[in-house]
Amino acid sequence: MSVPAFIDITEEDQASELRAYLKSKGAEISEENSEGGLHVDLAQIIEACDVCLKDDDKDVESVMNSIVSLLLILETEKQEALIESLCEKLVKFREGERPSLRMQLLSNLFHGMDENTPVRHTVYCSLIKVAATCNAIAFIPTDLDQVRKWITDWNLDTEKKHTLLRLVYDALVDCKKSEAAAKVMVELLGSYTEDNASQARVDAHRCIVRALKDPNTYLFDHLLALKPVRFLEGELIHDLLTIFVSAKLAAYVKFYQSNKDFIESLGEYSLNVFIGFNAFIQTVRTKMVYCKIDQTQRKVVVSHSTHRTFGKQQWQQLNDTLCSWKQNLATVKSSLQTLSPTA
């Protein structure tokens, strides 16, 4: 993409103009370019650009875009440290202030780089951090398929992949996007193996608690298959999850009576799965049950329901139902042929 420049001159003159501008704003920087080349000039300019960020005048965006444009013409091997330095300043400096400007600069940098450049990972993480401070995550691409593609394109190691997914998850949670956050957390936990599942203990615990707290989540069986969650077997949080997946109210009441302090430590979470008329209303609202009320006979007639868990027993039940349908259709066809041989 085309990034706006400070002024239409050579790179060396542009660096010199930037030095002079920063010097005029009080920065401790020489107006003379370094003999080490453009990457050394940029290192010194980025180090001194705090004074520019302090300003609210109209030149700030042009000056910062000039720095970005110079970064983008450097050789890839010289970019990484400088980009990391600039990203750190844009994330931390005056945190919470002028987020739109900081996001615009990071976006210019992100989209101006080659798609497969690994240091794009640093810029993307910085974008997420800034967006999370101002509830602007909706303006950052967080689609899981796209994030998976970037992880592959940037050839991220396991640690960076986990850090990236965790960052996206936290940002989505802070912005109240619980459904998208849950998908990212499942992706994160699903990336662990038997060998490193123990390292995800905290993430697995958070995943379970947030799922139980979410009033729109009623199906939890997929969590039990995740290796980090299985690693929690024997702990109270895993026992509670198992109750929500397959047990009934009596099991929860017994668990609660034995572990009141633990339940209270989790804070408020969705017990509507188990409790009363509110649970019925929520269940209908989420289309887990299709039914109608027979006021005359004072009962609810259920025409369709969704299983809380779908395992071997449910697959067998589905198979039996389909086989029964097949037999019934064969009987109907036979009857029709008896009435009309051409049917």
Side-chain angles (χ1 to χ4, degrees), residues 122-139:
T122 300
V123 184
Y124 180 69
C125 288
S126 300
L127 264 171
I128 293 290
K129 291 175 183 177
V130 175
T133 65
C134 58
N135 198 29
I137 198 68
F139 300 103

Side-chain angles (χ1 to χ4, degrees), residues 1 3 67-74 79 108-109 112-113:
M1 66 172 288
V3 178
I67 296 174
V68 169
S69 67
L70 289 175
L71 273 175
L72 292 174
I73 66 174
L74 284 179
Q79 284 182 337
N108 286 347
L109 181 57
M113 301 170 70

Side-chain angles (χ1 to χ4, degrees), residues 27-84:
E28 295 183 5
I29 186 172
S30 170
E31 292 189 36
E32 299 296 325
N33 286 347
S34 167
E35 295 181 359
L38 181 59
H39 70 286
V40 177
D41 286 325
L42 277 173
Q44 295 173 358
I45 289 169
I46 291 172
E47 180 63 28
C49 74
D50 300 67
V51 295
C52 173
L53 291 172
K54 289 177 182 177
D55 261 343
D56 290 332
D57 66 44
K58 61 183 179 181
D59 290 332
V60 173
E61 184 173 356
S62 296
V63 171
M64 295 304 299
N65 273 321
S66 180
I67 296 174
V68 169
S69 67
L70 289 175
L71 273 175
L72 292 174
I73 66 174
L74 284 179
E75 299 90 337
T76 302
E77 63 272 14
K78 294 179 180 179
Q79 284 182 337
E80 185 170 353
L82 296 176
I83 287 174
E84 289 177 351

Side-chain angles (χ1 to χ4, degrees), residues 221 245 307-319:
D221 56 307
V245 168
H307 290 282
R308 288 167 59 194
T309 182
F310 206 92
K312 185 176 181 180
Q313 180 181 353
Q314 286 72 36
W315 281 113
Q316 184 60 52
Q317 182 181 348
L318 178 59
N319 178 72

Side-chain angles (χ1 to χ4, degrees), residues 229-246:
V229 173
R230 292 210 306 264
F231 187 81
L232 297 176
E233 286 183 18
E235 298 188 19
L236 291 176
I237 191 64
H238 190 278
D239 294 342
L240 181 60
L241 175 63
T242 303
I243 290 172
F244 269 71
V245 168
S246 57

